[in-house]
């Protein structure tokens, strides 16, 4: 059944279902491989790295196929890979089958995530900024639901988690099969070319600088999911204390993301301010950690980090959609996901190397400076480009 345009409820449902299903599987990798399969933490880290790298490949493939092939079969292929991988995990989750199927899931998930963001660029019923805000909210809601369910289901056996993931992916496949087939339409050109400007996209440099900032931000963000937990335990805090930080993170997102969506028009008009402020808040969160010894400072840091997250991360996709060529929307959204996935893959490794070679404080100082320097270069490029346009 061919639709004139994809309805937003199906797009948002796809993001919610995908992120919930994936969160049943990959966050358990270290625990499952170390405690159940009796593999070393190093092997677990390698598997997670390969998962992220294959997700990068999937991100790029999803964007390329969305533009050069067709959106409908592209997203169906990605969902099918996720469905088959999760189905196989129900029956074969020993070593090394588990690792191979997890890597396959990373590839399929990369295609799906990029395809969903690319679909958002061709929906005309709402502004892309609004759509990306809600997509980001749905993805986080899916992760919250998934991690909550895992705590109750895992004691019954990991097989049940794979069954739930399979059921969700199968449901999404049916939804996509029925509602994601849309009629071809001319894509909107959102890049406005100034009189006498060259044919090359004048915003290409800004997009590249923004993606580099995104990469650095994700490298630092991953410290919260890897090395900071060890640091808190070293200071005498508990795993429960660390887990509550993510509950706090989820609560802030659930409360404030709809508020940002309500002011979407103003934020879209001031998207550069939104991006810069969001990244500066990211950096400020690590600045707090330099002196953090008490738990309330970790809560403060997480609060500042989360505000920066909901400001900056959805706005990256919006900015890239606004200033990318009309016939390459999928490809550019693929780049957004590629840089984010590379950051997620490299983050734990870079953090561990800095900590082992220097200290946690060096990691926090380096994270603060890296984000501030990258966002400063990004902001200066914008000012330079604006000054040139005024003289034209």
């Amino acid at each position: 059944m061919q639709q004139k345009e994809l309805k937003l409820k199906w797009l948002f449902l796809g993001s919610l279902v995908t992120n919930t299903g994936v969160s049943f599987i990959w966050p358990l990798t270290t625990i499952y491989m170390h405690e159940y399969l009796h593999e070393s933490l190093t092997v677990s880290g390698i598997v997670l790295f390969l998962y992220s790298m294959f997700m990068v490949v999937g991100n790029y493939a999803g964007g390329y196929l969305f533009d050069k092939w067709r959106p409908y079969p592209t997203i169906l292929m990605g969902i099918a890979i996720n469905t088959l991988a999760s189905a196989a995990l129900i029956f074969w989750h020993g070593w090394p089958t588990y690792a191979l199927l997890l890597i396959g899931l990373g590839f399929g998930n990369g295609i799906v995530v990029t395809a969903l963001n690319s679909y958002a660029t061709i929906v005309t019923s709402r502004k892309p900024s609004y759509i990306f805000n809600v997509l980001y909210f749905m993805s986080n809601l899916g992760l919250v639901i998934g991690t909550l369910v895992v705590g109750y289901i895992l004691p019954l056996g990991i097989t049940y988690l794979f069954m739930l993931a399979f059921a969700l992916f199968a449901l999404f496949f049916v939804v996509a099969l029925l509602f994601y087939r849309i009629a071809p339409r001319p894509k909107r050109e959102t890049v406005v070319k100034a009189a006498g400007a060259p044919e090359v996209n004048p915003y290409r440099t800004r997009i590249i600088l923004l993606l580099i900032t995104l990469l650095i931000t994700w490298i630092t963000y991953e410290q919260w999911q890897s090395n900071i937990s060890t640091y808190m335990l070293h200071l005498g805090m508990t795993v429960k204390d660390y887990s509550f930080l993510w509950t706090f993170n989820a609560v802030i997102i659930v409360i404030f993301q709809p508020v940002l969506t309500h002011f979407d028009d103003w934020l879209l008009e001031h998207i550069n301010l939104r991006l810069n402020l969001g990244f500066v808040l990211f950096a400020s969160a690590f600045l707090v950690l330099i002196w953090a010894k008490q738990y309330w400072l970790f809560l403060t840091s997480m609060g500042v980090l989360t505000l920066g997250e909901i400001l900056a991360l959805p706005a990256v996709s919006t900015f890239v959609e606004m200033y990318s060529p009309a016939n390459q929307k999928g490809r550019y959204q693929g780049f957004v996901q590629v840089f984010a996935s590379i950051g997620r893959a490299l983050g734990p490794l870079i953090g561990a190397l800095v900590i082992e070679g220097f200290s946690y404080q060096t990691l926090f100082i380096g994270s603060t400076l890296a984000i501030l320097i990258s966002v400063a270069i990004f902001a200066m490029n914008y000012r330079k480009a604006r000054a040139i346009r005024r003289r034209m």
Side-chain angles (χ1 to χ4, degrees), residues 231-262:
Y231 182 58
M232 291 179 65
L233 294 177
H234 176 73
L235 293 175
M237 299 171 202
T238 66
V239 174
K240 185 178 179 180
D241 292 330
Y242 173 72
S243 298
F244 180 75
L245 288 177
W246 291 107
T247 303
F248 184 51
N249 170 272
V251 169
I252 294 176
I253 291 174
V254 169
I255 292 174
F256 284 98
Q257 189 72 51
V259 175
L260 291 184
T261 303
H262 180 72

Coordinates of all heavy atoms in Angstrom, one line a residue, residues 231-262:
Y231 N 35.4 5.0 38.2 CA 35.9 6.1 39.0 C 35.0 6.3 40.2 O 35.5 6.5 41.3 CB 35.9 7.4 38.2 CG 36.5 8.6 38.9 CD1 37.7 8.7 39.4 CD2 35.7 9.8 39.0 CE1 38.2 9.8 40.1 CE2 36.1 10.9 39.6 CZ 37.4 10.9 40.2 OH 37.9 12.1 40.8
M232 N 33.7 6.2 40.0 CA 32.8 6.4 41.2 C 33.0 5.3 42.2 O 32.9 5.5 43.4 CB 31.4 6.4 40.6 CG 31.0 7.7 39.8 SD 29.3 7.7 39.2 CE 28.4 7.8 40.7
L233 N 33.2 4.1 41.7 CA 33.4 2.9 42.6 C 34.7 3.1 43.4 O 34.8 2.8 44.5 CB 33.4 1.6 41.8 CG 32.1 1.2 41.1 CD1 32.3 -0.1 40.3 CD2 31.0 1.0 42.2
H234 N 35.7 3.7 42.7 CA 37.0 3.9 43.3 C 36.8 4.9 44.5 O 37.6 4.9 45.5 CB 38.0 4.4 42.3 CG 39.3 4.8 42.9 ND1 40.2 3.9 43.3 CD2 39.9 6.1 43.0 CE1 41.3 4.6 43.8 NE2 41.1 5.9 43.6
L235 N 35.9 5.9 44.3 CA 35.6 6.9 45.3 C 34.7 6.4 46.5 O 34.4 7.1 47.4 CB 35.0 8.1 44.7 CG 35.9 8.9 43.8 CD1 35.1 10.1 43.1 CD2 37.1 9.5 44.5
G236 N 34.3 5.1 46.4 CA 33.5 4.5 47.5 C 32.0 4.5 47.2 O 31.2 4.2 48.1
M237 N 31.6 4.9 46.0 CA 30.2 4.9 45.7 C 29.8 3.5 45.2 O 30.6 2.7 44.9 CB 29.9 6.0 44.7 CG 30.2 7.4 45.2 SD 30.1 8.7 43.9 CE 31.1 10.0 44.6
T238 N 28.5 3.3 45.0 CA 28.0 2.0 44.7 C 27.5 1.9 43.2 O 27.3 3.0 42.6 CB 26.8 1.6 45.6 OG1 25.7 2.4 45.4 CG2 27.2 1.7 47.0
V239 N 27.3 0.7 42.7 CA 26.7 0.5 41.4 C 25.3 1.1 41.4 O 24.9 1.7 40.3 CB 26.6 -1.0 41.0 CG1 25.9 -1.2 39.7 CG2 28.0 -1.5 41.0
K240 N 24.6 1.1 42.5 CA 23.2 1.7 42.5 C 23.3 3.2 42.4 O 22.5 3.8 41.7 CB 22.6 1.3 43.9 CG 21.2 1.8 44.0 CD 20.6 1.4 45.4 CE 19.1 1.9 45.5 NZ 18.5 1.4 46.8
D241 N 24.3 3.8 43.0 CA 24.5 5.2 42.8 C 24.7 5.6 41.3 O 24.2 6.5 40.8 CB 25.7 5.7 43.6 CG 25.5 5.6 45.1 OD1 24.3 5.7 45.5 OD2 26.5 5.4 45.9
Y242 N 25.6 4.8 40.7 CA 25.9 5.0 39.3 C 24.6 4.8 38.4 O 24.3 5.6 37.5 CB 27.0 4.1 38.8 CG 27.2 4.1 37.3 CD1 27.9 5.2 36.7 CD2 26.9 3.1 36.5 CE1 28.1 5.3 35.4 CE2 27.1 3.1 35.1 CZ 27.7 4.2 34.6 OH 27.9 4.3 33.2
S243 N 23.9 3.8 38.7 CA 22.7 3.5 37.9 C 21.6 4.6 38.0 O 20.9 4.9 37.1 CB 22.0 2.1 38.4 OG 22.9 1.1 38.1
F244 N 21.6 5.2 39.2 CA 20.6 6.2 39.4 C 20.9 7.5 38.6 O 20.0 8.2 38.2 CB 20.5 6.7 40.9 CG 19.5 7.7 41.2 CD1 18.2 7.5 41.2 CD2 19.9 9.1 41.4 CE1 17.2 8.5 41.4 CE2 19.0 10.1 41.6 CZ 17.7 9.8 41.7
L245 N 22.2 7.7 38.3 CA 22.5 8.8 37.4 C 21.8 8.7 36.0 O 21.4 9.7 35.5 CB 24.1 8.8 37.2 CG 24.9 9.3 38.3 CD1 26.4 9.2 38.0 CD2 24.6 10.7 38.8
W246 N 21.7 7.5 35.5 CA 21.0 7.3 34.2 C 19.5 7.4 34.4 O 18.9 7.8 33.4 CB 21.4 5.9 33.6 CG 22.9 6.0 33.2 CD1 23.9 5.3 33.8 CD2 23.4 6.7 32.1 NE1 25.1 5.6 33.2 CE2 24.8 6.5 32.1 CE3 22.9 7.6 31.2 CZ2 25.7 7.1 31.2 CZ3 23.7 8.1 30.2 CH2 25.1 7.9 30.3
T247 N 19.0 7.1 35.5 CA 17.6 7.3 35.8 C 17.3 8.8 35.8 O 16.4 9.3 35.2 CB 17.2 6.7 37.1 OG1 17.4 5.3 37.1 CG2 15.7 6.9 37.4
F248 N 18.3 9.5 36.4 CA 18.2 11.0 36.5 C 18.3 11.6 35.1 O 17.6 12.5 34.7 CB 19.3 11.5 37.4 CG 19.4 13.0 37.6 CD1 18.2 13.7 38.0 CD2 20.5 13.7 37.4 CE1 18.3 15.0 38.3 CE2 20.6 15.1 37.7 CZ 19.4 15.7 38.1
N249 N 19.2 11.0 34.3 CA 19.4 11.5 32.9 C 18.0 11.3 32.1 O 17.6 12.2 31.4 CB 20.5 10.6 32.3 CG 20.6 10.8 30.7 OD1 19.9 10.1 30.0 ND2 21.4 11.7 30.3
A250 N 17.4 10.1 32.3 CA 16.2 9.8 31.6 C 15.0 10.8 32.0 O 14.2 11.3 31.2 CB 15.8 8.4 31.8
V251 N 15.0 11.1 33.3 CA 13.9 12.0 33.8 C 14.1 13.4 33.2 O 13.1 14.0 32.8 CB 14.0 12.0 35.4 CG1 13.1 13.1 35.9 CG2 13.5 10.7 36.0
I252 N 15.3 13.9 33.2 CA 15.5 15.2 32.6 C 15.1 15.2 31.1 O 14.5 16.2 30.7 CB 17.0 15.6 32.8 CG1 17.3 15.8 34.3 CG2 17.3 16.9 32.0 CD1 18.8 16.1 34.5
I253 N 15.5 14.2 30.4 CA 15.1 14.1 29.0 C 13.6 14.1 28.8 O 13.1 14.8 28.0 CB 15.8 12.9 28.3 CG1 17.3 13.1 28.2 CG2 15.2 12.7 26.9 CD1 18.0 11.9 27.7
V254 N 12.9 13.3 29.6 CA 11.5 13.1 29.5 C 10.8 14.5 29.8 O 9.8 14.8 29.2 CB 11.0 12.0 30.4 CG1 9.5 12.0 30.5 CG2 11.4 10.7 29.8
I255 N 11.3 15.2 30.8 CA 10.7 16.5 31.2 C 11.0 17.6 30.2 O 10.1 18.3 29.8 CB 11.2 16.9 32.6 CG1 10.6 15.9 33.6 CG2 10.7 18.3 32.9 CD1 11.1 16.1 35.0
F256 N 12.3 17.7 29.8 CA 12.7 18.9 29.1 C 12.6 18.8 27.6 O 12.5 19.8 26.9 CB 14.1 19.3 29.5 CG 14.2 20.0 30.9 CD1 14.5 19.3 32.0 CD2 13.9 21.3 31.0 CE1 14.6 19.9 33.2 CE2 13.9 21.9 32.2 CZ 14.3 21.2 33.4
Q257 N 12.7 17.6 27.0 CA 12.7 17.5 25.6 C 11.3 18.0 25.0 O 11.3 18.7 24.0 CB 12.9 16.0 25.2 CG 13.1 15.8 23.7 CD 14.4 16.3 23.2 OE1 15.4 16.0 23.7 NE2 14.4 17.1 22.1
P258 N 10.2 17.6 25.6 CA 8.9 18.2 25.1 C 8.9 19.7 25.2 O 8.2 20.4 24.4 CB 7.9 17.6 26.0 CG 8.5 16.3 26.5 CD 9.9 16.6 26.7
V259 N 9.5 20.3 26.3 CA 9.6 21.8 26.4 C 10.3 22.4 25.2 O 9.9 23.4 24.6 CB 10.3 22.2 27.7 CG1 10.4 23.7 27.8 CG2 9.5 21.7 28.9
L260 N 11.5 21.8 24.8 CA 12.2 22.3 23.7 C 11.4 22.2 22.4 O 11.4 23.1 21.6 CB 13.5 21.5 23.5 CG 14.6 21.7 24.6 CD1 15.9 20.9 24.3 CD2 14.9 23.2 24.8
T261 N 10.7 21.1 22.3 CA 9.8 20.9 21.1 C 8.8 22.0 21.0 O 8.4 22.4 19.9 CB 9.2 19.5 21.1 OG1 10.2 18.5 21.2 CG2 8.4 19.2 19.9
H262 N 8.3 22.4 22.2 CA 7.2 23.5 22.2 C 7.8 24.8 21.6 O 7.1 25.5 21.0 CB 6.7 23.6 23.6 CG 5.7 24.7 23.8 ND1 4.4 24.5 23.3 CD2 5.7 26.0 24.3 CE1 3.7 25.6 23.5 NE2 4.5 26.5 24.1

